[in-house]
């Protein structure tokens, strides 16, 4: 849990894992991701122990409806967890990436500032080292178009592969190692199942290595006609000057570059590495 940003009045908490962060807000309807989230752990030992302990409690106190230890197509073990709302997480052990990037976390010793919350949730460090990837189901025939969109607008490293008989677009984030593997991925897997109506899910992404890279991303997004203002938030960015001032902008529509028609909806909060929340900021 974040040690500086617990918004009790807004009923919002920010759980941190490595350089990544979830925004969890209380509402009447839960947001369910149409796919799953891959989490990377230094070790699964602690998670397994907590799941076993939680499994013996009353069902209404559980934060998940099911969990199981299984193996992926490469034979590597992972834990599949489904929360009480239907969101699915795949938890794997793996080497640490981007160790220079960290979000602050709530310590168990911070009882003076946070009271029982520190005792209950405080830790010396987060066992979860970050979000490895987010995998989203997308309509048949759109994965290549989605890859082209991220390539053209954000100069992202992308690829389209066949996996289990499905076309999958891989959008790389962060550093790419000598083996061609990125720090994180946004994955779009074509599915014949009905894609749920967009429910307001959003993610924040830091682009490039400089303010110049950020401004070029804004120009590209503006050229694609996708700059968008979310009325829920106070940041209203429609021009480059406004983006420079707030160091961020938003878009929601992933579009077919040839027709300009939306093919997928996912709000992106695009931020400069000069933004105050950048986890790599010294």
């Amino acid at each position: 849990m974040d040690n500086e940003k617990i918004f009790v009045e807004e009923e919002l908490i920010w759980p941190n894992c490595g350089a990544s962060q979830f925004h969890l807000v209380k509402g009447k309807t839960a947001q369910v991701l149409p796919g799953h989230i891959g989490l990377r752990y230094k070790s699964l030992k602690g998670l397994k122990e907590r799941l076993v302990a939680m499994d013996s409690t009353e069902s209404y106190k559980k934060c998940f409806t099911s969990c199981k230890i299984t193996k992926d197509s490469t034979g590597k073990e992972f834990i599949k967890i489904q929360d009480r709302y239907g969101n699915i997480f795949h938890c794997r052990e793996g080497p640490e990436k981007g160790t220079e990037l960290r979000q602050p976390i709530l310590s168990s010793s911070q009882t003076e500032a946070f009271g029982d919350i520190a005792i209950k949730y405080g830790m010396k460090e987060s066992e979860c080292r970050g979000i490895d990837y987010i995998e989203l189901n997308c309509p048949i025939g759109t994965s290549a178009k989605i890859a082209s969109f991220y390539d053209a607008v954000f100069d992202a490293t992308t690829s389209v592969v066949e996996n289990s008989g499905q076309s999958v677009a891989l959008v790389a984030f962060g550093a790419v190692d000598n083996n061609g593997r990125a720090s994180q991925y946004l994955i779009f897997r074509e599915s014949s199942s009905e894609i749920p109506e967009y429910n307001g899910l959003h993610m924040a992404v830091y682009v490039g290595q400089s303010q110049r890279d950020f401004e070029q991303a804004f120009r590209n997004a503006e050229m694609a006609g996708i700059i968008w203002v979310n009325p829920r938030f106070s940041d209203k960015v429609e021009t480059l000057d406004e983006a420079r001032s707030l160091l961020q902008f938003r878009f929601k529509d992933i579009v077919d570059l040839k027709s300009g028609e939306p093919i997928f909806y996912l709000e992106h909060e695009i931020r400069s590495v000069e933004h105050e929340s950048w986890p790599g900021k010294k």
Side-chain angles (χ1 to χ4, degrees), residues 98-131:
T99 54
E100 73 282 4
L101 306 177
R102 280 286 185 273
Q103 297 279 6
I105 66 169
L106 180 65
S107 168
S108 56
S109 64
Q110 293 179 290
T111 55
E112 186 173 330
F114 298 102
D116 291 344
I117 293 178
I119 296 173
K120 185 174 183 180
Y121 296 108
M123 300 179 70
K124 291 183 179 180
E125 63 176 1
S126 172
E127 291 180 6
C128 182
R129 297 313 206 206
I131 298 175

PDB file of all heavy atoms in Angstrom, residues 98-131:
ATOM      1  N   GLY A  98      14.010  -3.582 -13.837  1.00  0.00           N
ATOM      2  CA  GLY A  98      13.854  -2.174 -13.493  1.00  0.00           C
ATOM      3  C   GLY A  98      13.982  -1.911 -12.008  1.00  0.00           C
ATOM      4  O   GLY A  98      13.163  -1.205 -11.426  1.00  0.00           O
ATOM      5  N   THR A  99      14.996  -2.489 -11.380  1.00  0.00           N
ATOM      6  CA  THR A  99      15.132  -2.375  -9.924  1.00  0.00           C
ATOM      7  C   THR A  99      15.383  -0.944  -9.462  1.00  0.00           C
ATOM      8  O   THR A  99      15.237  -0.646  -8.279  1.00  0.00           O
ATOM      9  CB  THR A  99      16.274  -3.275  -9.425  1.00  0.00           C
ATOM     10  OG1 THR A  99      17.473  -2.962 -10.152  1.00  0.00           O
ATOM     11  CG2 THR A  99      15.939  -4.739  -9.628  1.00  0.00           C
ATOM     12  N   GLU A 100      15.761  -0.074 -10.388  1.00  0.00           N
ATOM     13  CA  GLU A 100      15.984   1.322 -10.009  1.00  0.00           C
ATOM     14  C   GLU A 100      14.673   2.088  -9.869  1.00  0.00           C
ATOM     15  O   GLU A 100      14.644   3.222  -9.387  1.00  0.00           O
ATOM     16  CB  GLU A 100      16.874   2.021 -11.051  1.00  0.00           C
ATOM     17  CG  GLU A 100      16.209   2.327 -12.379  1.00  0.00           C
ATOM     18  CD  GLU A 100      16.086   1.120 -13.308  1.00  0.00           C
ATOM     19  OE1 GLU A 100      16.459  -0.003 -12.903  1.00  0.00           O
ATOM     20  OE2 GLU A 100      15.618   1.312 -14.446  1.00  0.00           O
ATOM     21  N   LEU A 101      13.565   1.446 -10.282  1.00  0.00           N
ATOM     22  CA  LEU A 101      12.249   2.086 -10.210  1.00  0.00           C
ATOM     23  C   LEU A 101      11.441   1.463  -9.082  1.00  0.00           C
ATOM     24  O   LEU A 101      11.252   0.250  -9.045  1.00  0.00           O
ATOM     25  CB  LEU A 101      11.502   1.917 -11.539  1.00  0.00           C
ATOM     26  CG  LEU A 101      12.236   2.388 -12.800  1.00  0.00           C
ATOM     27  CD1 LEU A 101      11.393   2.091 -14.027  1.00  0.00           C
ATOM     28  CD2 LEU A 101      12.561   3.864 -12.718  1.00  0.00           C
ATOM     29  N   ARG A 102      10.956   2.280  -8.175  1.00  0.00           N
ATOM     30  CA  ARG A 102      10.184   1.778  -7.036  1.00  0.00           C
ATOM     31  C   ARG A 102       9.132   2.795  -6.617  1.00  0.00           C
ATOM     32  O   ARG A 102       9.373   4.002  -6.633  1.00  0.00           O
ATOM     33  CB  ARG A 102      11.098   1.514  -5.821  1.00  0.00           C
ATOM     34  CG  ARG A 102      11.872   0.203  -5.883  1.00  0.00           C
ATOM     35  CD  ARG A 102      10.956  -0.985  -5.616  1.00  0.00           C
ATOM     36  NE  ARG A 102      11.688  -2.224  -5.567  1.00  0.00           N
ATOM     37  CZ  ARG A 102      11.977  -2.987  -6.604  1.00  0.00           C
ATOM     38  NH1 ARG A 102      11.600  -2.601  -7.813  1.00  0.00           N
ATOM     39  NH2 ARG A 102      12.636  -4.114  -6.478  1.00  0.00           N
ATOM     40  N   GLN A 103       7.975   2.301  -6.237  1.00  0.00           N
ATOM     41  CA  GLN A 103       6.978   3.130  -5.574  1.00  0.00           C
ATOM     42  C   GLN A 103       7.169   2.967  -4.065  1.00  0.00           C
ATOM     43  O   GLN A 103       7.594   1.903  -3.600  1.00  0.00           O
ATOM     44  CB  GLN A 103       5.560   2.673  -5.947  1.00  0.00           C
ATOM     45  CG  GLN A 103       5.209   2.804  -7.414  1.00  0.00           C
ATOM     46  CD  GLN A 103       4.795   4.211  -7.804  1.00  0.00           C
ATOM     47  OE1 GLN A 103       4.878   5.139  -6.992  1.00  0.00           O
ATOM     48  NE2 GLN A 103       4.367   4.385  -9.037  1.00  0.00           N
ATOM     49  N   PRO A 104       6.875   4.010  -3.271  1.00  0.00           N
ATOM     50  CA  PRO A 104       6.989   3.868  -1.822  1.00  0.00           C
ATOM     51  C   PRO A 104       5.890   2.963  -1.294  1.00  0.00           C
ATOM     52  O   PRO A 104       4.797   2.909  -1.858  1.00  0.00           O
ATOM     53  CB  PRO A 104       6.808   5.307  -1.319  1.00  0.00           C
ATOM     54  CG  PRO A 104       5.955   5.953  -2.366  1.00  0.00           C
ATOM     55  CD  PRO A 104       6.398   5.346  -3.674  1.00  0.00           C
ATOM     56  N   ILE A 105       6.172   2.223  -0.225  1.00  0.00           N
ATOM     57  CA  ILE A 105       5.120   1.383   0.368  1.00  0.00           C
ATOM     58  C   ILE A 105       4.991   1.672   1.859  1.00  0.00           C
ATOM     59  O   ILE A 105       5.922   2.159   2.503  1.00  0.00           O
ATOM     60  CB  ILE A 105       5.377  -0.122   0.147  1.00  0.00           C
ATOM     61  CG1 ILE A 105       6.633  -0.592   0.892  1.00  0.00           C
ATOM     62  CG2 ILE A 105       5.458  -0.452  -1.319  1.00  0.00           C
ATOM     63  CD1 ILE A 105       6.775  -2.100   0.913  1.00  0.00           C
ATOM     64  N   LEU A 106       3.848   1.353   2.380  1.00  0.00           N
ATOM     65  CA  LEU A 106       3.537   1.579   3.782  1.00  0.00           C
ATOM     66  C   LEU A 106       4.289   0.586   4.660  1.00  0.00           C
ATOM     67  O   LEU A 106       4.239  -0.618   4.431  1.00  0.00           O
ATOM     68  CB  LEU A 106       2.030   1.431   3.995  1.00  0.00           C
ATOM     69  CG  LEU A 106       1.482   1.624   5.408  1.00  0.00           C
ATOM     70  CD1 LEU A 106       1.688   3.055   5.857  1.00  0.00           C
ATOM     71  CD2 LEU A 106       0.006   1.272   5.437  1.00  0.00           C
ATOM     72  N   SER A 107       5.001   1.097   5.641  1.00  0.00           N
ATOM     73  CA  SER A 107       5.759   0.242   6.548  1.00  0.00           C
ATOM     74  C   SER A 107       4.946  -0.077   7.792  1.00  0.00           C
ATOM     75  O   SER A 107       4.134   0.735   8.260  1.00  0.00           O
ATOM     76  CB  SER A 107       7.063   0.944   6.951  1.00  0.00           C
ATOM     77  OG  SER A 107       7.690   0.274   8.017  1.00  0.00           O
ATOM     78  N   SER A 108       5.169  -1.267   8.353  1.00  0.00           N
ATOM     79  CA  SER A 108       4.447  -1.665   9.576  1.00  0.00           C
ATOM     80  C   SER A 108       4.829  -0.804  10.760  1.00  0.00           C
ATOM     81  O   SER A 108       4.135  -0.801  11.781  1.00  0.00           O
ATOM     82  CB  SER A 108       4.730  -3.141   9.878  1.00  0.00           C
ATOM     83  OG  SER A 108       6.116  -3.368   9.988  1.00  0.00           O
ATOM     84  N   SER A 109       5.924  -0.046  10.659  1.00  0.00           N
ATOM     85  CA  SER A 109       6.368   0.818  11.757  1.00  0.00           C
ATOM     86  C   SER A 109       5.716   2.191  11.732  1.00  0.00           C
ATOM     87  O   SER A 109       5.887   2.978  12.670  1.00  0.00           O
ATOM     88  CB  SER A 109       7.891   0.975  11.706  1.00  0.00           C
ATOM     89  OG  SER A 109       8.287   1.643  10.522  1.00  0.00           O
ATOM     90  N   GLN A 110       4.943   2.477  10.682  1.00  0.00           N
ATOM     91  CA  GLN A 110       4.355   3.812  10.541  1.00  0.00           C
ATOM     92  C   GLN A 110       3.005   3.923  11.252  1.00  0.00           C
ATOM     93  O   GLN A 110       2.041   4.472  10.736  1.00  0.00           O
ATOM     94  CB  GLN A 110       4.223   4.169   9.057  1.00  0.00           C
ATOM     95  CG  GLN A 110       5.562   4.351   8.363  1.00  0.00           C
ATOM     96  CD  GLN A 110       5.407   4.681   6.896  1.00  0.00           C
ATOM     97  OE1 GLN A 110       5.005   3.853   6.093  1.00  0.00           O
ATOM     98  NE2 GLN A 110       5.720   5.921   6.538  1.00  0.00           N
ATOM     99  N   THR A 111       2.967   3.414  12.461  1.00  0.00           N
ATOM    100  CA  THR A 111       1.708   3.409  13.221  1.00  0.00           C
ATOM    101  C   THR A 111       1.290   4.805  13.666  1.00  0.00           C
ATOM    102  O   THR A 111       0.104   5.067  13.838  1.00  0.00           O
ATOM    103  CB  THR A 111       1.833   2.501  14.451  1.00  0.00           C
ATOM    104  OG1 THR A 111       2.971   2.920  15.215  1.00  0.00           O
ATOM    105  CG2 THR A 111       2.011   1.050  14.039  1.00  0.00           C
ATOM    106  N   GLU A 112       2.252   5.686  13.848  1.00  0.00           N
ATOM    107  CA  GLU A 112       1.912   7.041  14.299  1.00  0.00           C
ATOM    108  C   GLU A 112       1.087   7.775  13.261  1.00  0.00           C
ATOM    109  O   GLU A 112       0.156   8.513  13.582  1.00  0.00           O
ATOM    110  CB  GLU A 112       3.195   7.830  14.585  1.00  0.00           C
ATOM    111  CG  GLU A 112       2.915   9.207  15.191  1.00  0.00           C
ATOM    112  CD  GLU A 112       4.188   9.905  15.617  1.00  0.00           C
ATOM    113  OE1 GLU A 112       5.165   9.220  15.992  1.00  0.00           O
ATOM    114  OE2 GLU A 112       4.210  11.145  15.578  1.00  0.00           O
ATOM    115  N   ALA A 113       1.413   7.545  11.990  1.00  0.00           N
ATOM    116  CA  ALA A 113       0.693   8.229  10.919  1.00  0.00           C
ATOM    117  C   ALA A 113      -0.525   7.454  10.434  1.00  0.00           C
ATOM    118  O   ALA A 113      -1.529   8.052  10.052  1.00  0.00           O
ATOM    119  CB  ALA A 113       1.644   8.489   9.740  1.00  0.00           C
ATOM    120  N   PHE A 114      -0.441   6.104  10.465  1.00  0.00           N
ATOM    121  CA  PHE A 114      -1.490   5.313   9.837  1.00  0.00           C
ATOM    122  C   PHE A 114      -2.201   4.333  10.764  1.00  0.00           C
ATOM    123  O   PHE A 114      -3.100   3.623  10.343  1.00  0.00           O
ATOM    124  CB  PHE A 114      -0.906   4.544   8.643  1.00  0.00           C
ATOM    125  CG  PHE A 114      -0.368   5.432   7.567  1.00  0.00           C
ATOM    126  CD1 PHE A 114       0.999   5.647   7.456  1.00  0.00           C
ATOM    127  CD2 PHE A 114      -1.216   6.071   6.687  1.00  0.00           C
ATOM    128  CE1 PHE A 114       1.506   6.472   6.464  1.00  0.00           C
ATOM    129  CE2 PHE A 114      -0.717   6.891   5.697  1.00  0.00           C
ATOM    130  CZ  PHE A 114       0.649   7.105   5.584  1.00  0.00           C
ATOM    131  N   GLY A 115      -1.797   4.267  12.029  1.00  0.00           N
ATOM    132  CA  GLY A 115      -2.488   3.442  13.007  1.00  0.00           C
ATOM    133  C   GLY A 115      -2.578   1.980  12.637  1.00  0.00           C
ATOM    134  O   GLY A 115      -1.604   1.369  12.192  1.00  0.00           O
ATOM    135  N   ASP A 116      -3.785   1.400  12.805  1.00  0.00           N
ATOM    136  CA  ASP A 116      -3.982  -0.030  12.571  1.00  0.00           C
ATOM    137  C   ASP A 116      -3.758  -0.442  11.119  1.00  0.00           C
ATOM    138  O   ASP A 116      -3.454  -1.607  10.836  1.00  0.00           O
ATOM    139  CB  ASP A 116      -5.402  -0.445  12.985  1.00  0.00           C
ATOM    140  CG  ASP A 116      -5.591  -0.386  14.499  1.00  0.00           C
ATOM    141  OD1 ASP A 116      -4.569  -0.335  15.209  1.00  0.00           O
ATOM    142  OD2 ASP A 116      -6.739  -0.392  14.953  1.00  0.00           O
ATOM    143  N   ILE A 117      -3.915   0.519  10.192  1.00  0.00           N
ATOM    144  CA  ILE A 117      -3.681   0.199   8.780  1.00  0.00           C
ATOM    145  C   ILE A 117      -2.236  -0.216   8.582  1.00  0.00           C
ATOM    146  O   ILE A 117      -1.935  -1.160   7.847  1.00  0.00           O
ATOM    147  CB  ILE A 117      -4.021   1.418   7.886  1.00  0.00           C
ATOM    148  CG1 ILE A 117      -5.524   1.700   7.936  1.00  0.00           C
ATOM    149  CG2 ILE A 117      -3.577   1.169   6.447  1.00  0.00           C
ATOM    150  CD1 ILE A 117      -5.955   2.896   7.141  1.00  0.00           C
ATOM    151  N   ALA A 118      -1.308   0.472   9.266  1.00  0.00           N
ATOM    152  CA  ALA A 118       0.110   0.126   9.158  1.00  0.00           C
ATOM    153  C   ALA A 118       0.370  -1.264   9.736  1.00  0.00           C
ATOM    154  O   ALA A 118       1.142  -2.048   9.186  1.00  0.00           O
ATOM    155  CB  ALA A 118       0.963   1.165   9.872  1.00  0.00           C
ATOM    156  N   ILE A 119      -0.281  -1.581  10.847  1.00  0.00           N
ATOM    157  CA  ILE A 119      -0.095  -2.893  11.476  1.00  0.00           C
ATOM    158  C   ILE A 119      -0.621  -4.004  10.570  1.00  0.00           C
ATOM    159  O   ILE A 119      -0.008  -5.058  10.406  1.00  0.00           O
ATOM    160  CB  ILE A 119      -0.814  -2.940  12.838  1.00  0.00           C
ATOM    161  CG1 ILE A 119      -0.175  -1.920  13.797  1.00  0.00           C
ATOM    162  CG2 ILE A 119      -0.743  -4.339  13.442  1.00  0.00           C
ATOM    163  CD1 ILE A 119      -0.909  -1.781  15.105  1.00  0.00           C
ATOM    164  N   LYS A 120      -1.767  -3.751   9.949  1.00  0.00           N
ATOM    165  CA  LYS A 120      -2.414  -4.777   9.126  1.00  0.00           C
ATOM    166  C   LYS A 120      -1.751  -4.948   7.771  1.00  0.00           C
ATOM    167  O   LYS A 120      -1.567  -6.075   7.303  1.00  0.00           O
ATOM    168  CB  LYS A 120      -3.891  -4.427   8.946  1.00  0.00           C
ATOM    169  CG  LYS A 120      -4.682  -5.508   8.204  1.00  0.00           C
ATOM    170  CD  LYS A 120      -6.169  -5.167   8.177  1.00  0.00           C
ATOM    171  CE  LYS A 120      -6.969  -6.270   7.500  1.00  0.00           C
ATOM    172  NZ  LYS A 120      -8.424  -5.971   7.465  1.00  0.00           N
ATOM    173  N   TYR A 121      -1.379  -3.825   7.139  1.00  0.00           N
ATOM    174  CA  TYR A 121      -0.909  -3.906   5.758  1.00  0.00           C
ATOM    175  C   TYR A 121       0.572  -3.570   5.585  1.00  0.00           C
ATOM    176  O   TYR A 121       1.128  -3.798   4.512  1.00  0.00           O
ATOM    177  CB  TYR A 121      -1.720  -2.957   4.859  1.00  0.00           C
ATOM    178  CG  TYR A 121      -3.183  -3.323   4.773  1.00  0.00           C
ATOM    179  CD1 TYR A 121      -4.152  -2.542   5.408  1.00  0.00           C
ATOM    180  CD2 TYR A 121      -3.591  -4.432   4.057  1.00  0.00           C
ATOM    181  CE1 TYR A 121      -5.494  -2.873   5.322  1.00  0.00           C
ATOM    182  CE2 TYR A 121      -4.941  -4.771   3.969  1.00  0.00           C
ATOM    183  CZ  TYR A 121      -5.886  -3.980   4.603  1.00  0.00           C
ATOM    184  OH  TYR A 121      -7.208  -4.309   4.533  1.00  0.00           O
ATOM    185  N   GLY A 122       1.208  -3.037   6.586  1.00  0.00           N
ATOM    186  CA  GLY A 122       2.584  -2.590   6.435  1.00  0.00           C
ATOM    187  C   GLY A 122       3.566  -3.732   6.210  1.00  0.00           C
ATOM    188  O   GLY A 122       3.432  -4.812   6.778  1.00  0.00           O
ATOM    189  N   MET A 123       4.575  -3.481   5.360  1.00  0.00           N
ATOM    190  CA  MET A 123       5.604  -4.466   5.075  1.00  0.00           C
ATOM    191  C   MET A 123       6.938  -3.754   4.886  1.00  0.00           C
ATOM    192  O   MET A 123       6.985  -2.547   4.662  1.00  0.00           O
ATOM    193  CB  MET A 123       5.270  -5.256   3.799  1.00  0.00           C
ATOM    194  CG  MET A 123       3.959  -6.017   3.837  1.00  0.00           C
ATOM    195  SD  MET A 123       3.643  -6.897   2.285  1.00  0.00           S
ATOM    196  CE  MET A 123       4.891  -8.182   2.386  1.00  0.00           C
ATOM    197  N   LYS A 124       8.037  -4.507   5.003  1.00  0.00           N
ATOM    198  CA  LYS A 124       9.347  -3.934   4.744  1.00  0.00           C
ATOM    199  C   LYS A 124       9.563  -3.713   3.258  1.00  0.00           C
ATOM    200  O   LYS A 124      10.195  -2.755   2.838  1.00  0.00           O
ATOM    201  CB  LYS A 124      10.447  -4.845   5.304  1.00  0.00           C
ATOM    202  CG  LYS A 124      10.491  -4.898   6.826  1.00  0.00           C
ATOM    203  CD  LYS A 124      11.654  -5.761   7.294  1.00  0.00           C
ATOM    204  CE  LYS A 124      11.721  -5.792   8.810  1.00  0.00           C
ATOM    205  NZ  LYS A 124      12.862  -6.632   9.291  1.00  0.00           N
ATOM    206  N   GLU A 125       9.045  -4.618   2.452  1.00  0.00           N
ATOM    207  CA  GLU A 125       9.131  -4.499   1.009  1.00  0.00           C
ATOM    208  C   GLU A 125       7.994  -5.296   0.382  1.00  0.00           C
ATOM    209  O   GLU A 125       7.416  -6.179   1.009  1.00  0.00           O
ATOM    210  CB  GLU A 125      10.477  -4.999   0.483  1.00  0.00           C
ATOM    211  CG  GLU A 125      10.733  -6.470   0.739  1.00  0.00           C
ATOM    212  CD  GLU A 125      12.044  -6.941   0.124  1.00  0.00           C
ATOM    213  OE1 GLU A 125      12.743  -6.126  -0.482  1.00  0.00           O
ATOM    214  OE2 GLU A 125      12.349  -8.140   0.253  1.00  0.00           O
ATOM    215  N   SER A 126       7.690  -4.975  -0.853  1.00  0.00           N
ATOM    216  CA  SER A 126       6.621  -5.669  -1.553  1.00  0.00           C
ATOM    217  C   SER A 126       7.156  -6.955  -2.178  1.00  0.00           C
ATOM    218  O   SER A 126       8.150  -6.934  -2.900  1.00  0.00           O
ATOM    219  CB  SER A 126       6.037  -4.766  -2.645  1.00  0.00           C
ATOM    220  OG  SER A 126       5.130  -5.480  -3.452  1.00  0.00           O
ATOM    221  N   GLU A 127       6.521  -8.083  -1.886  1.00  0.00           N
ATOM    222  CA  GLU A 127       6.919  -9.344  -2.514  1.00  0.00           C
ATOM    223  C   GLU A 127       6.613  -9.327  -4.001  1.00  0.00           C
ATOM    224  O   GLU A 127       7.327  -9.933  -4.797  1.00  0.00           O
ATOM    225  CB  GLU A 127       6.201 -10.515  -1.842  1.00  0.00           C
ATOM    226  CG  GLU A 127       6.663 -10.788  -0.426  1.00  0.00           C
ATOM    227  CD  GLU A 127       5.917 -11.953   0.192  1.00  0.00           C
ATOM    228  OE1 GLU A 127       5.130 -12.597  -0.527  1.00  0.00           O
ATOM    229  OE2 GLU A 127       6.115 -12.224   1.379  1.00  0.00           O
ATOM    230  N   CYS A 128       5.544  -8.652  -4.377  1.00  0.00           N
ATOM    231  CA  CYS A 128       5.201  -8.514  -5.787  1.00  0.00           C
ATOM    232  C   CYS A 128       6.082  -7.425  -6.385  1.00  0.00           C
ATOM    233  O   CYS A 128       6.061  -6.283  -5.926  1.00  0.00           O
ATOM    234  CB  CYS A 128       3.731  -8.155  -5.958  1.00  0.00           C
ATOM    235  SG  CYS A 128       3.216  -8.035  -7.679  1.00  0.00           S
ATOM    236  N   ARG A 129       6.864  -7.776  -7.379  1.00  0.00           N
ATOM    237  CA  ARG A 129       7.847  -6.851  -7.940  1.00  0.00           C
ATOM    238  C   ARG A 129       7.317  -6.016  -9.089  1.00  0.00           C
ATOM    239  O   ARG A 129       8.013  -5.136  -9.582  1.00  0.00           O
ATOM    240  CB  ARG A 129       9.077  -7.620  -8.404  1.00  0.00           C
ATOM    241  CG  ARG A 129       9.839  -8.333  -7.306  1.00  0.00           C
ATOM    242  CD  ARG A 129      10.077  -7.448  -6.100  1.00  0.00           C
ATOM    243  NE  ARG A 129      11.248  -7.858  -5.353  1.00  0.00           N
ATOM    244  CZ  ARG A 129      11.434  -7.636  -4.060  1.00  0.00           C
ATOM    245  NH1 ARG A 129      10.496  -7.030  -3.363  1.00  0.00           N
ATOM    246  NH2 ARG A 129      12.542  -8.002  -3.458  1.00  0.00           N
ATOM    247  N   GLY A 130       6.111  -6.282  -9.537  1.00  0.00           N
ATOM    248  CA  GLY A 130       5.571  -5.448 -10.592  1.00  0.00           C
ATOM    249  C   GLY A 130       4.567  -6.166 -11.467  1.00  0.00           C
ATOM    250  O   GLY A 130       4.332  -7.370 -11.338  1.00  0.00           O
ATOM    251  N   ILE A 131       3.957  -5.408 -12.361  1.00  0.00           N
ATOM    252  CA  ILE A 131       3.041  -5.957 -13.350  1.00  0.00           C
ATOM    253  C   ILE A 131       3.876  -6.386 -14.551  1.00  0.00           C
ATOM    254  O   ILE A 131       4.523  -5.562 -15.198  1.00  0.00           O
ATOM    255  CB  ILE A 131       1.986  -4.916 -13.776  1.00  0.00           C
ATOM    256  CG1 ILE A 131       1.135  -4.504 -12.561  1.00  0.00           C
ATOM    257  CG2 ILE A 131       1.104  -5.475 -14.890  1.00  0.00           C
ATOM    258  CD1 ILE A 131       0.143  -3.393 -12.873  1.00  0.00           C
TER     259      ILE A 131
END
